[in-house]
Amino acid sequence: MTIAPQRTLLPADLGYCPDCYATGTIALVAPGTRRCRAHLVDQRLLVETTSTGQARLAAPAGGRRRPTYATGVQTPCVACATAGVDRQGLPRDGAGSDPLCIPCWRGRTDRQDTADRRRLVAALRERLDVDESTGCAACGEPDPVSTCWLCGYSWLAEVRADHEHIVALEAAAVATRFAQLAETAEAQQRVDALTAWIDRLTETLTAFHAGDSWGRPVWLLADLLARNAAARTSRRGRRSALGMVCGVLAVDSDRRSGRRAMPGRAVTAELAGCGDSTRPVTDAWRRAEALGWCVRVEQGRRLSYAERCATGRSQARAVFDITPLHHGDPAAQAAHIPAALDVLADLLDHARTLLAAAQEHVDALNARAGGWVDYHEQVRRQQMRRAVAATRDHARQQATNFRTPHTVTQAMSVYSSLSWGLLLSPPIASTPSVDGRPSRRKDGASRSSTRTEVGRTCAGPSPVQRPRSPQRHSDASLSRRARPEWSAWAYDLARAVQGRWVWLRRTSLPRVAATLGATLGPDWTAEALDTWLRRSRSRPLLSEPDSPLSYLRAVLEDALTGPAAPPHPARRHTEHRRALVAANAAAQAEHRDAVRANLNDREWTATRPGRRSPAAEAALAAIRANTSGHLRRADRATLLGEGPDSDCDWPEVAQPGSGLPAASRRP
């Protein structure tokens, strides 16, 4: 919408310009006009409203946008006025010349100078009789050539190619740097998660030793072991992963109520030392639910797209609520406390190994990016390792020195180490010792003195370094397995292989070392392994396999079980050759037995002269079984069909007189 201001129009017979009169100058106007030549353009300022509702001032086309001054030359530019532009000019060539503004005057002057220069060059060439060159000044070709730096602009193309190459290199460097930062951040998150897990295990064991309620996961795990021991019907079989998996579940739950435990299958398999497979975790959860130790309150499922964007995970973890302790047997729970402490100590030791490998991976990534490990960080790591080792050793010593309750004739006697909130030890009557000496305490003691004396018998106390044998009905804690033979060289080989193969760097170092140690030998190096695999395989190695560890196992299995012999002794190749030899020997033995059985069958089925056939022997055995006493030869021949008319296997016997001529026979 446009609003025009109201104004009063002056009559046309004034004879002078009102705008010039307002400035103090009297300028006559032409007949029939109201203003002078300089003010013929309408100067009204109009108010208009835009589509967004904003009001603004708008001058009509050709309207003046600058104030008119009383002094100076007020002459419009001839060229700009012709184009409809309000711009003032100045007579450059004196009075009577066309007034021009600076841009118009400079343009006209430049065009005149260019024309004069061309005219002078043409006159000079005509005077010197020089033909004008029509080709390139560099190569002399009349048409542009792509190889010429002047007419073909090849130098620009080369510079452009160099610039594009530099830009591509910078982009690749930036992408590599971002990938390194992302990998380092992911590795640091793994270190933080393992550190938090170790802190939680340490707090649980420390709280149990102090008698705090935060040590309840130890009792929960003992309840599981008691239920499992009561449900088992045989002690045979290898050690199950039930204790380790449910130990992770108990520590991850709420420390006071034992609810909302949701560690996840993959995380539980890693923390419990189950390797790459999550099947033991699933079986352990199913076993714990069958024992009534826990209840699955939320089922794991795949998340929707919105949930994946919000949580950053593709799967929803299953949630478990552990059965409270008062639903179980307190005596059975107390009997399995040492085994629960051993399980948690093993979990802490395994977590310490995982954390060390994760820290080494982070240090390697920082070193590759040009960083280093701070001295304070090294000190903090060392202090943490010592604290974790002390907590682990204390838990194992506590499990060794722990005593379970036992039943006596008068009342239940519980050792003092069990009176930590759930079981209270009743007073024990004073009884004389084995050697006949009276007790030194009148109120009785659950433990004898730990001081050693000379001449004490086997019934006396034993020092802490050599504790008494545990008095419990549960399975004793298994001794620690010996380190494998490949542990002395497999870790160095695994580090070298991870440094050579990028796709294997995200895999845990202990797993890579175990895979290489189980298949190779101590004489192998990363360079020899890489060279031999590339020479023996017809296809190149993948750059980014989905499962690096499984792919490494498949590659080693394919290479070591092939016809080509490796350059160094390999355990898997030796086992494969032995298996082939054993299979060939078994096949030969089977073939020999088959040939021998075939020959025996032939000998059995073949009828020899003077002997009965197998069918006749079977029929005779049946007759003997159904007939009592001895049979005459004629009756037996009749039953067996061996009469004169029957087919007989006996050879024909020459009858008396059959060899004489027919004429000499008696009538």
Side-chain angles (χ1 to χ4, degrees):
M1 180 180 66
T2 303
I3 302 175
Q6 296 182 0
R7 60 175 183 160
T8 304
L9 299 178
L10 298 177
D13 54 354
L14 290 178
Y16 60 89
C17 178
D19 297 333
C20 295
Y21 182 77
T23 59
T25 304
I26 298 177
L28 300 177
V29 298
T33 59
R34 300 176 181 177
R35 288 177 176 77
C36 63
R37 182 180 177 183
H39 298 91
L40 285 177
V41 182
D42 191 3
Q43 300 181 6
R44 291 179 299 172
L45 295 178
L46 305 179
V47 179
E48 63 180 4
T49 304
T50 61
S51 59
T52 59
Q54 182 180 4
R56 66 180 181 182
L57 296 176
R64 296 180 60 89
R65 291 177 173 81
R66 62 172 58 89
T68 304
Y69 298 96
T71 60
V73 180
Q74 305 292 333
T75 305
C77 176
V78 177
C80 294
T82 304
V85 179
D86 182 16
R87 186 178 297 171
Q88 294 184 359
L90 184 67
R92 304 289 177 175
D93 299 332
S97 61
D98 295 336
L100 298 174
C101 61
I102 293 179
C104 295
W105 172 75
R106 185 172 295 171
R108 179 178 293 183
T109 304
D110 294 342
R111 289 192 295 271
Q112 186 65 31
D113 293 343
T114 302
D116 294 342
R117 189 181 302 106
R118 291 178 180 176
R119 182 175 53 80
L120 291 176
V121 169
L124 181 61
R125 286 179 177 176
E126 185 179 358
R127 182 183 300 177
L128 297 177
D129 194 11
V130 177
D131 296 336
E132 184 177 0
S133 178
T134 58
C136 177
C139 62
E141 296 293 335
D143 298 329
V145 182
S146 59
T147 59
C148 180
W149 65 271
L150 182 59
C151 62
Y153 302 99
S154 60
W155 59 280
L156 289 177
E158 183 178 0
V159 172
R160 185 181 295 107
D162 294 342
H163 177 70
E164 292 177 355
H165 181 63
I166 292 173
V167 171
L169 291 179
E170 292 179 354
V174 171
T176 304
R177 180 57 179 169
F178 272 105
Q180 290 180 356
L181 292 177
E183 187 176 3
T184 304
E186 183 178 356
Q188 187 62 39
Q189 291 178 1
R190 173 177 170 80
V191 170
D192 296 340
L194 290 175
T195 303
W197 172 248
I198 289 178
D199 293 341
R200 192 174 182 88
L201 282 173
T202 305
E203 291 175 358
T204 300
L205 293 175
T206 305
F208 177 78
H209 176 67
D212 194 3
S213 61
W214 280 18
R216 189 178 298 272
V218 181
W219 291 96
L220 294 176
L221 183 57
D223 185 20
L224 169 73
L225 298 178
R227 292 171 183 263
N228 186 39
R232 292 186 62 178
T233 58
S234 175
R235 298 297 179 183
R236 300 182 60 183
R238 62 182 181 179
R239 185 178 180 181
S240 174
L242 178 65
M244 300 287 285
V245 173
C246 292
V248 175
L249 198 66
V251 176
D252 186 76
S253 64
D254 186 78
R255 294 170 174 173
R256 299 182 184 274
S257 62
R259 304 182 63 183
R260 303 295 299 175
M262 46 184 304
R265 286 190 303 175
V267 177
T268 303
E270 181 182 8
L271 297 179
C274 298
D276 298 334
S277 176
T278 58
R279 182 63 179 271
V281 178
T282 306
D283 295 342
W285 286 353
R286 188 181 299 110
R287 175 67 175 175
E289 291 183 82
L291 293 174
W293 182 71
C294 64
V295 179
R296 192 187 302 244
V297 295
E298 292 184 12
Q299 185 69 28
R301 59 181 179 86
R302 290 187 60 86
L303 298 178
S304 62
Y305 178 75
E307 291 174 341
R308 290 197 300 268
C309 295
T311 59
R313 294 182 286 106
S314 60
Q315 297 283 345
R317 297 178 177 179
V319 182
F320 296 89
D321 286 350
I322 302 178
T323 305
L325 292 174
H326 63 272
H327 290 281
D329 186 7
Q333 295 171 4
H336 289 79
I337 286 294
L341 289 174
D342 288 337
V343 170
L344 293 182
D346 293 341
L347 285 176
L348 187 59
D349 193 13
H350 181 66
R352 178 188 177 188
T353 304
L354 294 178
L355 179 60
Q359 289 176 349
E360 290 180 1
H361 183 54
V362 171
D363 296 343
L365 292 178
N366 292 331
R368 188 174 60 182
W372 63 89
V373 182
D374 190 22
Y375 175 76
H376 298 285
E377 178 65 18
Q378 295 180 359
V379 173
R380 189 190 65 82
R381 290 181 182 179
Q382 190 66 21
Q383 292 176 353
M384 181 178 180
R385 291 171 184 173
R386 292 179 180 177
V388 171
T391 305
R392 178 201 59 193
D393 297 340
H394 179 72
R396 287 177 177 171
Q397 184 179 4
Q398 190 178 12
T400 306
N401 294 335
F402 218 94
R403 295 296 178 266
T404 58
H406 60 280
T407 305
V408 296
T409 57
Q410 298 179 359
M412 186 179 68
S413 174
V414 184
Y415 286 101
S416 58
S417 57
L418 290 179
S419 57
W420 284 357
L422 293 181
L423 297 178
L424 299 178
S425 176
I428 302 176
S430 177
T431 56
S433 59
V434 178
D435 53 0
R437 292 179 298 177
S439 175
R440 289 173 293 179
R441 294 186 59 183
K442 297 182 179 180
D443 54 350
S446 61
R447 253 180 223 274
S448 60
S449 176
T450 57
R451 294 181 299 176
T452 58
E453 299 179 5
V454 180
R456 295 296 297 270
T457 60
C458 61
S462 59
V464 179
Q465 289 77 8
R466 301 182 62 183
R468 292 177 292 181
S469 59
Q471 303 174 2
R472 59 173 180 262
H473 301 283
S474 63
D475 294 337
S477 59
L478 300 178
S479 59
R480 295 182 58 83
R481 294 181 298 178
R483 299 183 63 183
E485 299 177 357
W486 49 261
S487 60
W489 54 269
Y491 283 92
D492 298 336
L493 178 60
R495 294 188 186 95
V497 170
Q498 285 183 342
R500 194 174 187 87
W501 292 338
V502 182
W503 51 270
L504 201 58
R505 293 177 181 174
R506 296 186 179 181
T507 310
S508 176
L509 180 64
R511 297 179 181 177
V512 179
T515 303
L516 297 178
T519 55
L520 302 179
D523 298 335
W524 285 86
T525 59
E527 294 78 9
L529 179 60
D530 185 32
T531 304
W532 183 66
L533 287 179
R534 296 183 185 278
R535 186 176 65 253
S536 60
R537 286 175 55 86
S538 60
R539 295 177 296 177
L541 296 176
L542 300 179
S543 59
E544 293 182 359
D546 296 337
S547 180
L549 191 60
S550 301
Y551 180 66
L552 176 62
R553 293 174 181 171
V555 169
L556 293 177
E557 181 70 18
D558 187 17
L560 295 176
T561 56
H568 302 288
R571 180 178 179 181
R572 183 67 186 93
H573 180 71
T574 304
E575 294 177 354
H576 176 65
R577 299 300 300 175
R578 292 177 180 175
L580 290 180
V581 172
N584 293 334
Q588 293 178 2
E590 184 178 358
H591 178 68
R592 184 172 59 253
D593 295 341
V595 171
R596 186 173 299 172
N598 190 14
L599 293 177
N600 294 335
D601 294 341
R602 289 182 180 179
E603 293 179 357
W604 174 255
T605 56
T607 303
R608 297 182 181 181
R611 294 184 181 181
R612 298 185 183 91
S613 62
E617 292 289 345
L620 182 59
I623 292 172
R624 288 175 179 175
N626 298 328
T627 305
S628 60
H630 299 281
L631 294 177
R632 294 183 304 169
R633 180 178 297 178
D635 298 337
R636 182 175 58 185
T638 303
L639 293 175
L640 293 176
E642 295 179 354
D645 298 335
S646 62
D647 296 336
C648 183
D649 295 335
W650 291 87
E652 296 181 0
V653 181
Q655 300 295 329
S658 60
L660 296 176
S664 60
R665 294 179 182 176
R666 294 179 181 181

